């Protein structure tokens, strides 16, 4: 048996939380991509659309910065995604009601229909993917929220 490499603080790769998170994330993203291919959306496009639908139910106007903060996608990438979604006629931008420097972002009727369809696809995929967690899903989500809050 070979000696463990001193470069690592863990004895087995499975003892590394970061490596495990990487592996699970990679599998999950691969499945998400396959699920969204059927409606010609990328995962980041879906996240922006779903965030826009969600935030539109919570507030009067949604800006690009609102979407960036909610989704944790950096502002420049959010802007690029928004331009692509505009070309696909899924969203529209207009003057913000109160902030002259900002643009409000909204779903088109086609965008709303597509987003609702995508949410159903992703919720079904997520239910299947995370099914093995069983009644531990709330604890898993709580742990993820802890990591999100400590990284903000």
């Amino acid at each position: 048996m070979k000696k463990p490499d001193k470069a690592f603080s863990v004895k087995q790769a499975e003892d590394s939380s970061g490596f495990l998170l990487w592996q699970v994330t990679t599998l999950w993203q691969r499945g998400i991509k396959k699920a969204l291919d059927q409606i010609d959306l990328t995962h980041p496009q879906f996240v922006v659309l779903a965030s826009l639908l969600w935030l539109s139910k919570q507030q009067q106007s949604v800006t690009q910065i609102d979407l960036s903060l909610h989704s944790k996608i950096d502002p420049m990438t959010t802007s690029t995604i928004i331009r692509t979604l505009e070309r696909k006629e899924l969203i529209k931008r207009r003057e913000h009601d109160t902030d002259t420097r900002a643009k409000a972002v909204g779903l088109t009727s086609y965008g709303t229909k597509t987003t609702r369809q995508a949410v159903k696809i992703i919720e079904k995929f997520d239910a299947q993917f995370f099914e093995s967690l069983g009644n531990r899903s709330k604890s898993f989500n709580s742990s993820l929220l802890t990591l999100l809050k400590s990284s903000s």
Side-chain angles (χ1 to χ4, degrees):
M1 179 178 232
K2 284 185 154 186
K3 285 195 217 176
D5 190 321
K6 298 280 187 208
F8 300 99
S9 64
V10 295
K11 291 181 183 177
Q12 302 176 75
E14 294 80 18
D15 294 334
S16 169
S17 299
F19 186 59
L20 291 173
L21 182 60
W22 169 260
Q23 289 180 312
V24 169
T25 302
T26 299
L27 291 172
W28 179 72
Q29 287 178 331
R30 190 179 304 147
I32 292 283
K33 181 191 180 317
K34 185 177 178 183
L36 289 172
D37 278 349
Q38 62 187 303
I39 57 172
D40 191 34
L41 286 179
T42 66
H43 194 190
Q45 289 169 357
F46 165 73
V47 170
V48 169
L49 288 170
S51 293
L52 183 53
L53 182 62
W54 182 269
L55 291 173
S56 295
K57 304 297 181 195
Q58 315 296 318
Q59 58 197 59
Q60 186 68 28
S61 293
V62 179
T63 66
Q64 180 175 310
I65 293 300
D66 293 330
L67 291 169
S68 178
L69 291 170
H70 184 262
S71 66
K72 304 286 190 262
I73 300 173
D74 71 86
M76 291 301 290
T77 303
T78 302
S79 177
T80 301
I81 295 167
I82 287 172
R83 281 194 302 276
T84 300
L85 293 172
E86 260 188 315
R87 282 193 299 275
K88 289 183 167 190
E89 299 182 354
L90 296 167
I91 65 165
K92 60 186 178 300
R93 285 191 265 195
R94 60 176 171 74
E95 296 300 317
H96 193 277
D97 295 335
T98 57
D99 186 348
T100 57
R101 299 165 296 158
K103 295 276 190 193
V105 184
L107 291 163
T108 63
S109 58
Y110 173 59
T112 300
K113 179 182 171 194
T114 302
T115 304
R116 289 182 186 283
Q117 180 183 10
V119 168
K120 286 181 184 174
I121 290 168
I122 295 308
E123 286 185 348
K124 180 180 177 188
F125 172 79
D126 277 352
Q128 292 169 344
F129 187 86
F130 294 107
E131 182 178 42
S132 64
L133 290 175
N135 62 4
R136 297 176 306 207
S137 63
K138 286 187 182 197
S139 174
F140 177 73
N141 288 353
S142 178
S143 295
L144 292 174
L145 284 169
T146 298
L147 292 172
L148 281 170
K149 288 174 186 173
S150 70
S151 297
S152 297

